Amino acid sequence: NIFYFFLGISFLIIYLIKLILYIYLIIPKHKYSKLSYNIKKELIKENFSKIKLSKIKLKKYTNNIFRKRNIENNKNSLLDLNYLSEIIDIDLQNKIAHVEGLITYEKLLTETLKYSLIPKIIPEFKTLTVSGTISGMGLESSSFKYGLVPDMITEMEILLGTGEIIIANKNINSDIFYGIPNSYGSLGYILSAKVELI
């Protein structure tokens, strides 16, 4: 019996070590992720101004494309927005979550479920980001009822190619608000979005 007890304890210790390694080594944590959203926007403007004369590509930790890309031969300057991964605010009365663009749906759901709320449309891949599913025109299993991912977005903050950050909704900059879905970053990068909850 003592043998099985220590065997069980050793398996538990191994499992905990694996979990800790996964959390701290495999899941990347950006040094800027806990800064306030307004400070992050200033950092983005500063970093963008340094590279804006070159071709720019997002630096991404995760990728849901099932093919390898040749990163060594890529001449684009990388813009790091990976620290835009937090919830800015949850408006419980109006059922709107204001989130940073590169937050994953897994992280968003973890927070909204605390209030018995979820986004109207939830992708099947848990590492997809809110901004990615807007720019890529996310179509998910609940879309038959609620439409595409952009249909649950009420407002966005977008980084343009000039380095300017604008607000876009149905009334302000409505052309880019309706144009950015399915644009794949060609019109700008979504820094934050307001997501309807149910």
Side-chain angles (χ1 to χ4, degrees), residues 6 19 21 45 91 98 107 114-115 131 145 152 164 169 177-178 185 198:
F6 283 111
L19 184 64
L21 287 173
K45 286 180 187 175
D91 181 348
H98 188 193
K107 190 170 185 178
K114 292 175 183 175
Y115 306 101
S131 61
K145 186 172 185 179
M152 70 171 177
E164 183 186 0
N169 57 39
F177 178 76
Y178 289 110
I198 50 173

Side-chain angles (χ1 to χ4, degrees), residues 52-158:
K52 72 177 180 182
L53 296 178
S54 59
K55 289 184 178 179
I56 297 172
K57 182 181 188 317
L58 277 184
K59 179 181 181 181
K60 295 178 83 177
Y61 289 144
T62 60
N63 197 334
N64 294 293
I65 297 173
F66 298 103
R67 62 184 169 84
K68 290 190 175 183
R69 291 179 170 167
N70 191 347
I71 298 169
E72 277 82 35
N73 294 333
N74 195 327
K75 303 299 182 193
N76 295 343
S77 296
L78 295 178
L79 179 64
D80 187 359
L81 299 179
N82 288 290
Y83 48 89
L84 292 176
S85 59
E86 302 295 324
I87 291 177
I88 300 166
D89 180 52
I90 298 177
D91 181 348
L92 296 175
Q93 186 175 355
N94 295 309
K95 295 182 182 170
I96 300 276
H98 188 193
V99 300
E100 295 174 350
L102 273 77
I103 191 170
T104 63
Y105 279 90
E106 179 182 28
K107 190 170 185 178
L108 176 56
L109 269 170
T110 301
E111 290 305 311
T112 59
L113 281 171
K114 292 175 183 175
Y115 306 101
S116 299
L117 295 169
I118 61 169
K120 283 183 173 179
I121 300 146
I122 303 165
E124 281 70 40
F125 285 116
K126 62 184 180 179
T127 58
L128 289 177
T129 62
V130 169
S131 61
T133 54
I134 298 168
S135 294
M137 203 71 155
L139 172 74
E140 309 304 337
S141 59
S142 57
S143 292
F144 77 96
K145 186 172 185 179
Y146 297 111
L148 304 171
V149 167
D151 294 325
M152 70 171 177
I153 305 301
T154 61
E155 187 172 280
M156 295 175 269
E157 279 186 282
I158 301 165

